[in-house]
Amino acid sequence: MFSLQDLKQYLSEQDRIEGNCELAIFDKVKPIEEADEHTIVWFKSKEQKETVRLTHTLATLIICSSKLQVPRDLMGKKCFIQTENPKLLFSKIVAALFGRKPVPGIHPTAVISSDAVIGEGASIGAHAVIDKCIIGKNCTVGANCHVMDNTTMGDNILIGSSTVIGGNGFGYSREPDGQLILFPHVGGVVIEDNVEIGSNTSIDRGALGDTVIKRGVKIDNLVHIAHNVVIEQNSLIIAHAMIGGSVRIGQRTWIAPSACLKNGIRIGSDVTVGLGAVVTKDIPDGETWVGNPAMPLSDFINMRKKG
């Protein structure tokens, strides 16, 4: 069982604890509709009309918005932690108290090159193949992954099962007779600290330079990242996205599911690329682009109105 005392280290000075704190004992997390009296829950809505759900839930410890006016009659029945970002606080608490923690070590079926350098606390899954590369501290490489030569990984990196890091990029030159010759891919892949990469994702090594994934980037399942791509800090690349060769993506940018980015373009920082967008041009900082071919959201809305 956990108590309110176990949570205080995750709270900021601005967070408020309201209600009956003696009831704040929990040992599980569940959706608010499925909670019992020993469940910690997160209440998403800021709408006062939704507070009836707080009355109906059996949960006695609820994380909710600081902007929500909690009904006075619930204060004696439940404990509320009111915070600016309930989802963020709930995520931190659940990760710390209930998150799955990989067991450090190398699975006996993994194949590890004698030239590989593997940091302290790393976890290498079943049937993973680690070539001549560097893996930092506290990294997790899932089952059936292949981390190929000339890959350098920082610390605290998570790679899901069946992902390939450092394969050849798709670049060819054509002989006069039409025969295709693979352009040399002798670069590597650099992955900085605190990056997460999902399952069945492919990240190609650079042709002459490196493919670089900067600190804090999160990459979903089933993503393709081509050679010489650079993704700056804390950007998110979502499932089925295809990032063409030599694309550069700025910081804190969101690439939505099934988006396709043409090779060689530049995507700014704080950009949103919409669902299924086909991006063929550079995108400046701070803009939202959607559609096929992708265009600024305002242009897309105006076009739809005229059409």
Side-chain angles (χ1 to χ4, degrees):
M1 284 284 188
F2 299 103
S3 69
L4 196 61
Q5 191 64 34
D6 298 306
L7 306 184
K8 288 187 176 179
Q9 61 182 306
Y10 308 107
L11 306 184
S12 71
E13 293 181 358
Q14 290 73 38
D15 295 338
R16 303 195 312 272
I17 300 173
E18 306 282 356
N20 189 342
C21 300
E22 295 180 2
L23 299 174
I25 298 175
F26 62 99
D27 60 5
K28 62 179 75 70
V29 291
K30 284 186 177 182
I32 194 167
E33 295 81 7
E34 301 174 20
D36 62 22
E37 63 272 19
H38 296 308
T39 305
I40 182 172
V41 300
W42 159 45
F43 184 65
K44 302 179 184 180
S45 179
K46 298 178 184 178
E47 300 292 331
Q48 290 302 128
K49 63 183 180 181
E50 294 289 328
T51 56
V52 65
R53 296 170 61 203
L54 298 178
T55 303
H56 291 160
T57 184
L58 296 178
T60 53
L61 180 55
I62 300 168
I63 298 175
C64 62
S65 171
S66 56
K67 298 177 182 177
L68 187 72
Q69 186 176 350
V70 177
R72 195 178 288 260
D73 63 326
L74 293 180
M75 286 297 187
K77 301 175 183 178
K78 303 178 187 296
C79 179
F80 296 90
I81 299 176
Q82 297 197 265
T83 182
E84 184 68 23
N85 191 334
K87 181 179 180 180
L88 177 61
L89 179 58
F90 183 77
S91 298
K92 288 180 177 179
I93 290 170
V94 173
L97 301 183
F98 298 98
R100 295 179 181 178
K101 296 178 175 60
V103 178
I106 298 173
H107 193 278
T109 62
V111 179
I112 311 294
S113 167
S114 59
D115 294 318
V117 177
I118 299 178
E120 182 181 355
S123 174
I124 310 297
H127 303 288
V129 178
I130 309 297
D131 293 339
K132 183 180 179 180
C133 57
I134 298 172
I135 296 177
K137 297 177 182 178
N138 304 314
C139 291
T140 297
V141 178
N144 300 303
C145 286
H146 192 174
V147 183
M148 303 180 74
D149 287 347
N150 206 14
T151 297
T152 301
M153 294 168 49
D155 299 335
N156 306 309
I157 291 168
L158 174 62
I159 300 178
S161 299
S162 300
T163 280
V164 178
I165 309 291
N168 263 338
F170 193 81
Y172 292 85
S173 299
R174 192 181 293 273
E175 295 271 24
D177 64 0
Q179 182 180 358
L180 293 170
I181 305 298
L182 179 67
F183 188 86
H185 287 78
V186 296
V189 178
V190 176
I191 303 174
E192 296 185 354
D193 297 349
N194 303 318
V195 168
E196 296 180 13
I197 301 168
S199 301
N200 294 292
T201 283
S202 177
I203 300 178
D204 295 340
R205 66 175 176 261
L208 303 179
D210 293 329
T211 300
V212 181
I213 313 298
K214 296 288 188 72
R215 182 184 180 91
V217 167
K218 312 302 180 188
I219 300 171
D220 201 358
N221 305 322
L222 298 164
V223 169
H224 174 68
I225 296 175
H227 58 273
N228 295 102
V229 168
V230 177
I231 304 176
E232 298 287 347
Q233 294 180 5
N234 299 313
S235 286
L236 297 102
I237 316 296
I238 318 303
H240 298 151
M242 195 293 293
I243 314 299
S246 299
V247 168
R248 187 162 193 131
I249 298 173
Q251 299 181 40
R252 301 173 301 278
T253 282
W254 171 281
I255 308 297
S258 299
C260 179
L261 277 57
K262 178 180 177 291
N263 59 295
I265 62 175
R266 298 292 183 266
I267 308 298
S269 295
D270 303 300
V271 164
T272 297
V273 174
L275 182 71
V278 177
V279 184
T280 61
K281 301 177 181 178
D282 294 354
I283 301 180
D285 292 349
E287 295 194 2
T288 297
W289 283 40
V290 299
N292 179 8
M295 63 187 72
L297 180 59
S298 57
D299 293 351
F300 181 83
I301 292 171
N302 289 335
M303 183 182 70
R304 293 294 295 270
K305 287 179 179 178
K306 293 177 182 178

